[in-house]
Amino acid sequence: MDRRLIFLLNVAQRRLQRWMARQTMKGGVTAAQGGLLFVLGRRDGVLIGEAGAALDLGMPGISGLADRMIEAGLIEKRADPNDGRAWRLWLTAAGRKALARSKSGVADLNARLNEGFTDAEIEIVARWLASFQAKFPKGEDE
């Protein structure tokens, strides 16, 4: 078995990104947009900074993503009623429909990714991938 983990991880990421980009061209949302839809599906009206933190994005990244999604009619941005400097993000009706489609697509994709592996094996892979967050903390490279 090939144990060139960096190579294997990079190839897997590129192939998954290309597959997801093809799905987007078929009328879906991007992976980043789907991520924000999932955040808002759990907590509609979240502060923009909190949404960015949940997606591991800085303010420029989450602001640009939010702007693109506002332009697409998927979310709206409203001033926080308690702090006029803060902004909250809310799903629109179109955003709720896109979230429902994304949930279905993610379920299918996760089933495909898990195919051929036991729950115990997937647990190890998930634990290994999650360990990157502690081994390479955000901000360490900035």
Side-chain angles (χ1 to χ4, degrees):
M1 177 180 287
D2 191 343
R3 293 184 56 101
R4 297 176 298 160
L5 299 179
I6 295 168
F7 170 75
L8 293 171
L9 189 59
N10 281 322
V11 169
Q13 188 271 339
R14 282 193 306 271
R15 288 189 183 195
L16 184 58
Q17 287 300 113
R18 283 192 301 261
W19 183 87
M20 291 170 64
R22 285 191 303 274
Q23 303 314 301
T24 300
M25 290 188 304
K26 294 178 185 175
V29 296
T30 67
Q33 290 172 336
L36 185 51
L37 291 174
F38 277 90
V39 168
L40 295 177
R42 285 191 306 273
R43 188 168 155 222
D44 208 9
V46 71
L47 288 166
I48 193 167
E50 292 173 350
L55 297 172
D56 201 29
L57 294 173
M59 280 309 290
I62 190 63
S63 294
L65 176 61
D67 289 345
R68 290 186 299 277
M69 292 180 71
I70 290 165
E71 189 174 312
L74 299 171
I75 66 170
E76 56 186 35
K77 182 167 71 171
R78 301 181 205 155
D80 184 290
N82 301 318
D83 181 353
R85 299 167 298 160
W87 293 93
R88 293 188 176 273
L89 302 175
W90 301 86
L91 287 169
T92 63
R96 289 187 205 306
K97 289 178 184 173
L99 174 59
R101 286 191 308 273
S102 294
K103 283 182 179 180
S104 174
V106 165
D108 293 344
L109 178 55
N110 277 326
R112 186 172 178 178
L113 292 172
N114 289 320
E115 187 177 313
F117 296 93
T118 66
D119 286 344
E121 289 171 322
I122 293 298
E123 185 64 33
I124 290 168
V125 172
R127 186 170 55 89
W128 182 71
L129 290 171
S131 77
F132 283 49
Q133 294 172 45
K135 292 172 184 169
F136 306 99
K138 185 176 180 179
E140 185 177 89
D141 57 346
E142 296 173 358

